[in-house]
Each structure stands twice: as structure tokens, then as C-alpha cells.
Amino acid sequence: MSNRSRKRQKISTEGTNPITDDLSKDDEERRLESLLFGTKYVPAESEGFSQQVAEAADGEGRQFQNLLDNDLFFVDDQIERDFSPDPSGSGSGSDSQSENEEEAEELVTKQKEPFAKTLKSHRKAPAWLDDSDPASVSLSSKRLKKLRNATNEETLTGREYESRLRRQFERINPEPDWAAKARKKTSQTDDGDGEIEADFNALLSSTSGIRQSRSLRSKILASGTIDITRLRDANQSAQNSGCGDIKSLAFHPSERVPVLCVGSSDRRVRMYNIDGHTSPLLQTLHIPSLPLSSQSSVTFHPSGSHLLLTGSRPYYYVYDLQSGALSSSDQSKHGLWGTRFDDPSATLQTPDPSRKRGRTRGAGVVESAAVGSHNNTSAPGMEVTAFEPSTGSMLAVAGRGGYVHLVDWKSGAGQVIGSLKCSNGGGGVKGLWWASPELDSESREYLTVLTGDSEVYLWDVGERRCVRRWRDEGGFRGTGRVLTGNGKGSGWLAVGSNTGLVNVYGADLFTPSTSSWSSISPKPLKTIENLTTPISTLRFNHDAQLLAMASKEKKDGMRLIHLPSLTAFSNWPTSSTPFGHVTAVDFSARSEYIAIGNTRGRVLLYHLKNFGVH
């Protein structure tokens, strides 16, 4: 009888669990629990223990203490839950146990009601209901066994099946870091305007990609040092093929097309996909009849649709990037670019009958014998060319005797529509660059020409009129080597000489101030004297914050100039930078990369961290 009474007394204790009830334990038992389970030990004589006793006396503070998490939080999946008693059915006191279980079931049901109402109030109605969807999914197949949480699971509801599939997908394809950071920022915003969430949603709905969205942000480059890292050579896959000197480098004008074209002395043009790692070779064009001879021998059209290939020959090739077709300009018997010799507007001269076939008389650019014959090398070449940058509707080509010929590129006929005559001295035309300054409140196209005797001409192409002419400061006969510029209206102009000096001109070069503007010789902002051998390459980056200048006459003869301060960077290049004899330099569309070619057939690739994320 005593044993049965003790059992009844223990079972009949309402809301008491000997495992979780700290009030019925002595100090020794609670100290042991703190050592085993890491719980906080509070002595019975301390104030904290008395406060714990006071809280335990409060019925409202202990009403959820003995409930499991599954009883407090649940998902309403419209499945009836069975609260069946313990199936053991053995032992005395079964009546008291069933009564206690009924009371516990009633208590759980009461506590579920507010949570169920809250979940239903926040739950959105489904967008559609498909009657063909199964109410349950069997996990008996081998493909679905991986979705089990326990070995005895056989079926899942539709909602649970979707949750398990999502979990399995996230295991195989982890969430990228950028998405996790964006979601974290979105969850942290609580100001109600939703700017971060709107930016994140716009980024996900954009088709331009994350890289472009980042690159469109303005980058302000500081002077002194530059954050630059060397990558694998861009042409590492072709270095063992004996390509010879690198003659020309050209990045695609669109930032969405990471393609670099490399022209070498073996008369091949190779295209690489610049990814910063392996830079695989995409295609090789072999043109045995056209020797590539200058930096402008490989030039992209401003639209990026085709590639212009020129050299020391009086003809050119055009490679269509979309169709893969390669066409030549010498298919017509009338002359170069389809111009007839009897055309009074043409500058092409009739050959002198008293002389050998293949020679010209006067200041002509092409003779009839050169057309249709790739073996004739006496004719002038097309080493110096420049596309009109805004639309690419016109191509400027340097000719003999200081002539610059304008070729109509928009119509597709490739016909000479006019010529500009500069001084015939100092070795002809050495550099061409298009500018679009604002003169007389009208937007016009202007062509800047550098001659070999260091004279600079600014031509109004529409009127075929020279609006400004001056001699580069410090230049003399035979010193003009290369010219380049950047920007429209407020751009820069750089002129390199054979003495290693580079004169940098500012925006006032294109701004008329007086009526005698054409007779005033502008002064350079600064003369850069970092190199002492003839300048062979000048190149601005896309936003005119950097100027790369190089001389192939001296080993490692290259410098990178910070234009706002007109100073060279002190940390690069170093004495161990393996430039060699630099022959060509080019920046990518957004200046993430800079490619440097040399006489050893290598194209060094560097990543400018100030302009892009790598």
C-alpha cells in the first residue's frame, strides 16, 4: 500500500518534472548538473536562488516551462495530429496517467490556438492551386531517399517535400557571398524607404550583370602609389609558337566583351578572352600578305562590330566579328578604296609612263600597280589610321607628303571623300587623333595631326579648314614621334618626341579665347621627363586619369603617369618588373586591365584594382 501511495503522490504532482524542477534539488545535485551540462549554478543561500523561487511561485511565468518546442511552434499543414497515450499499457496507476495526459492535451490545444491564428493571419494565399498535385509524395525510390530525415520515413506532404528539395539544392549549390551580403543588408534596413531592397531587386532584375553595375561607379584615383597586380600573360597559350615581336594591342571597346586582339610580326592576329586567369585563345587570323607594323595596325571600329587590319601596304583588311568573314580593299581595279584616277577630287596621281611601273609622281598615296598586287612594297602603307570616335563613320589615313585622307566608312564603300594637306617635312604624318570640342556653340568634328617636324594641326573636318597650327614646345625637325588624346572638349593631348620628352596639353587647347586664336601657340601644362629615349607609345585610359608612355629603344622603358597631378607613380614599375623592350600598350574598356607587349613576344597583363573588382 505504501508503494502505491507514493506512486500516486508523485504522479499527481501538477506541473512538476523531477528533471527540470530546480526547487526540489539540493545544492549537490545542482552543482553536478552545472558541471555536466554547463548550466549556471546558483546556491540555495544566494539572492538569485530566492528570486528564482519567487518566479517559480508565479503560475503565469511557469505555464510554458514543461512544453516542447513542437507544441509551441508548428506549421498548419492540415494534418490531424493524434495524441495517443503511451502504448505500453502496463504498470499501475493507468487511470491517473490517462487523466494527466488528457489535461496536458487540453493545455497544449489552448496554447496552439493563438499561434495558429497568428500564422494564418500572416500567411499569404497561394497564387494558384493545381488539383493534379499529389497530397503526399512517396520516398520509396532511390532518388528520393536522400530527402529523408529518418530511415523510417516513407511519405511527405507537398509542402514538406518542397522544403526538402530546396534544402537539398542549397547543399549542392551554396549561396554566393554577394547574395548573402545583399540579403543581410536588406534585412538590416528598417527605415521604411527600402532603398537597399530596391537596389538589390534592381540588380537581380538587370541583364547587364554585376560586374558592369560595379564598374559604372566613378573611381577617383589618388596620386603617389597605385594598387596594381600582375596576372598571367595574356598570350601564354601562344608564346611557344614563335610569334615574334608584338606590334599592336587592341581591347574591344565594349566592357561586356573582354576580348584582346594581339598583332605580331608573324603576320597573325590572335584574339584572347581576358578573364584574369588563363585568358584562352579564341581565334587566330593569318594574313601573309599584310605585315603588321604599328600600334594602329589592329583597330576596333567604335561600334565593336568589326576589326580593321592595316600595315605597310596600300590596302587593308576588315574582319567581321559576327560573321567571321575577312574582306580586302584591293578587290576593285579602279584603285585603293574604289577611287578612280580621273576623279578630280581624288588625290591619287596617274603614274608617269617614263618611269617604272609601280612608282608614282607627285604627292599621291597609291599607284595603280599597287592595287591588286600584294607583292609591291614601294607604295606607301597605312601604318597610321584613326576612326572618328563617336559614330565611326569616317576613317583618317596618313599618306605621303603630309596628306591625310578621309575615307567614308559609313556607306561601306570605303571611298576617299577628301584630303587634308599638312607640311611636307620631317618624315610626313606621325600621329592622328579625333576631337569633338565645343566651338562657337556648335559641336563639330576636329582632327588633330602631328607631323614629323613637331608641328600640330587642328583641322575642322566639315569645312576642310585648319583652325589652329603650332609647333610643339621643345620640338625641332624630326623630333615628332607620336600623338594621342582623350576626352571630348575637356580632354587631354600628349605629344612624344625622339628625345624622350612628353608634352601634355589641357582643355584650353580647344577653347578659342581671341580672334587670333589660330596664331597663338598653346603652352603645355607640363613636360614629363621620366624617359630619355625616343617615345614610341602613348596611351590614355578611358577616363583620362592615367597616361602610359613607353620607349622600345631602352629596356624597361615605361612609366605610368597620374594625369590630375602630372606625376609618375612611385611604387610601379619597380626594378624587377619584366617589361623588356615595350612595343605596344593598351587599356581595357573600363581600365580594369592594362596589356603591355614587348619584343620577346609576350603580352604582360596587369590588373588595376582601383578600377575594377577582380
Side-chain angles (χ1 to χ4, degrees):
M1 295 296 293
S2 59
N3 293 336
R4 293 187 62 182
S5 62
R6 280 198 297 270
K7 286 185 178 180
R8 288 196 187 97
Q9 184 178 3
K10 186 175 181 179
I11 294 174
S12 61
T13 304
E14 296 181 359
T16 301
N17 191 337
I19 299 178
T20 59
D21 187 12
D22 293 337
L23 301 179
S24 61
K25 303 173 185 177
D26 55 6
D27 291 347
E28 188 68 22
E29 187 176 358
R30 283 186 282 104
R31 184 183 294 107
L32 182 59
E33 284 187 354
S34 65
L35 295 176
L36 293 177
F37 305 110
T39 59
K40 184 178 180 181
Y41 169 68
V42 180
E45 299 178 354
S46 61
E47 297 180 358
F49 186 78
S50 59
Q51 183 179 0
Q52 184 177 358
V53 173
E55 293 178 356
D58 188 2
E60 295 181 358
R62 294 175 51 83
Q63 59 180 344
F64 301 113
Q65 181 177 354
N66 298 324
L67 293 180
L68 300 178
D69 292 341
N70 294 334
D71 298 328
L72 292 175
F73 304 98
F74 71 100
V75 177
D76 187 9
D77 52 3
Q78 298 180 358
I79 295 180
E80 295 294 336
R81 299 177 181 267
D82 296 331
F83 295 93
S84 58
D86 189 0
S88 60
S90 61
S92 58
S94 59
D95 297 336
S96 301
Q97 290 182 2
S98 60
E99 292 177 0
N100 293 333
E101 288 171 356
E102 292 177 359
E103 294 177 359
E105 182 179 354
E106 293 177 1
L107 180 60
V108 170
T109 305
K110 291 180 181 180
Q111 300 302 328
K112 282 183 179 180
E113 291 178 358
F115 292 102
K117 292 180 180 179
T118 304
L119 290 174
K120 290 181 179 180
S121 61
H122 290 82
R123 183 180 299 139
K124 294 182 180 180
W128 67 87
L129 294 176
D130 193 350
D131 297 336
S132 61
D133 289 342
S136 61
V137 179
S138 176
L139 303 180
S140 57
S141 63
K142 293 182 179 180
R143 294 180 55 189
L144 300 181
K145 285 185 177 180
K146 57 180 174 290
L147 301 180
R148 296 179 177 179
N149 287 340
T151 56
N152 57 353
E153 281 187 334
E154 295 297 336
T155 59
L156 290 177
T157 62
R159 186 185 297 272
E160 185 66 20
Y161 177 67
E162 179 185 357
S163 177
R164 300 280 181 92
L165 287 177
R166 187 181 301 276
R167 182 187 64 183
Q168 183 69 15
F169 178 81
E170 292 177 352
R171 288 178 180 176
I172 301 175
N173 304 285
E175 185 181 31
D177 295 338
W178 63 265
K181 293 179 181 179
R183 183 174 289 104
K184 183 178 180 181
K185 291 181 180 180
T186 305
S187 61
Q188 290 178 352
T189 178
D190 55 354
D191 51 0
D193 55 2
E195 294 181 358
I196 299 179
E197 184 176 0
D199 296 340
F200 180 61
N201 295 333
L203 179 63
L204 293 181
S205 60
S206 174
T207 58
S208 59
I210 301 172
R211 181 180 178 183
Q212 181 185 9
S213 300
R214 290 187 176 184
S215 62
L216 291 177
R217 300 176 183 174
S218 59
K219 309 286 184 180
I220 305 300
L221 191 63
S223 60
T225 60
I226 186 171
D227 192 0
I228 188 170
T229 303
R230 185 186 176 188
L231 307 175
R232 294 181 180 179
D233 292 352
N235 66 335
Q236 59 179 340
S237 58
Q239 289 180 358
N240 297 329
S241 60
C243 60
D245 299 356
I246 302 299
K247 296 296 184 179
S248 181
L249 295 175
F251 275 98
H252 195 277
S254 175
E255 61 177 309
R256 301 183 183 181
V257 185
V259 173
L260 172 65
C261 287
V262 179
S264 51
S265 59
D266 61 351
R267 306 190 182 189
R268 286 177 170 84
V269 178
R270 297 174 174 86
M271 302 182 188
Y272 299 91
N273 181 23
I274 303 301
D275 57 1
H277 300 284
T278 58
S279 299
L281 177 64
L282 299 177
Q283 193 173 4
T284 301
L285 302 177
H286 184 203
I287 311 175
S289 60
L290 183 63
L292 306 176
S293 56
S294 66
Q295 171 70 49
S296 61
S297 292
V298 179
T299 306
F300 277 102
H301 189 266
S303 64
S305 59
H306 54 273
L307 194 66
L308 176 66
L309 307 177
T310 60
S312 57
R313 295 291 185 270
Y315 47 82
Y316 60 87
Y317 286 89
V318 176
Y319 178 73
D320 194 316
L321 296 178
Q322 295 181 353
S323 63
L326 183 67
S327 59
S328 175
S329 64
D330 64 341
Q331 298 175 356
S332 173
K333 297 181 180 180
H334 302 300
L336 186 62
W337 307 309
T339 306
R340 295 179 179 274
F341 296 115
D342 55 357
D343 188 353
S345 63
T347 59
L348 307 178
Q349 303 295 326
T350 305
D352 188 354
S354 62
R355 298 187 180 185
K356 286 185 179 181
R357 180 185 177 96
R359 300 178 62 89
T360 59
R361 179 177 54 189
V365 180
V366 182
E367 75 286 348
S368 60
V371 179
S373 175
H374 290 177
N375 297 325
N376 193 326
T377 59
S378 62
M382 298 175 60
E383 290 91 347
V384 182
T385 60
F387 275 111
E388 186 271 320
S390 59
T391 61
S393 59
M394 193 175 298
L395 175 68
V397 181
R400 279 182 175 176
Y403 276 95
V404 177
H405 302 281
L406 305 176
V407 181
D408 178 21
W409 204 262
K410 184 178 181 180
S411 62
Q415 191 173 15
V416 176
I417 58 176
S419 298
L420 310 174
K421 180 64 172 69
C422 302
S423 64
N424 187 16
V429 177
K430 297 297 183 180
L432 299 172
W433 177 65
W434 290 84
S436 299
E438 297 291 337
L439 300 180
D440 300 331
S441 301
E442 296 182 6
S443 179
R444 303 180 182 180
E445 294 296 336
Y446 287 81
L447 180 65
T448 310
V449 182
L450 173 67
T451 62
D453 54 356
S454 297
E455 279 194 322
V456 183
Y457 292 78
L458 185 62
W459 290 89
D460 187 335
V461 178
E463 297 181 359
R464 306 291 195 272
R465 179 174 62 93
C466 180
V467 297
R468 195 167 192 180
R469 174 184 177 183
W470 77 94
R471 185 178 297 276
D472 183 43
E473 185 173 306
F476 52 91
R477 185 179 179 86
T479 61
R481 293 295 298 269
V482 62
L483 172 143
T484 187
N486 186 281
K488 294 184 178 181
S490 60
W492 302 77
L493 184 72
V495 179
S497 65
N498 63 0
T499 59
L501 302 179
V502 176
N503 288 333
V504 181
Y505 296 88
D508 56 345
L509 181 68
F510 309 103
T511 305
S513 56
T514 62
S515 59
S516 60
W517 171 59
S518 60
S519 62
I520 299 176
S521 297
K523 298 295 182 181
L525 297 178
K526 186 176 182 180
T527 300
I528 302 175
E529 305 174 354
N530 294 82
L531 301 178
T532 58
T533 52
I535 302 298
S536 58
T537 302
L538 287 174
R539 184 70 69 182
F540 285 93
N541 75 322
H542 76 284
D543 58 357
Q545 294 193 74
L546 294 176
L547 171 63
M549 60 181 192
S551 173
K552 66 179 180 181
E553 304 295 334
K554 185 177 181 181
K555 186 178 181 181
D556 301 334
M558 178 180 169
R559 295 294 183 271
L560 201 60
I561 306 300
H562 179 257
L563 281 174
S565 63
L566 292 175
T567 57
F569 291 100
S570 59
N571 65 324
W572 191 86
T574 63
S575 58
S576 60
T577 305
F579 284 152
H581 294 270
V582 178
T583 56
V585 179
D586 197 21
F587 290 91
S588 61
R590 304 301 299 183
S591 302
E592 294 93 343
Y593 302 103
I594 177 174
I596 304 170
N598 57 27
T599 56
R600 292 180 293 176
R602 301 177 60 184
V603 180
L604 307 178
L605 187 64
Y606 290 86
H607 172 57
L608 301 175
K609 296 183 178 180
N610 301 86
F611 293 95
V613 179
H614 177 65

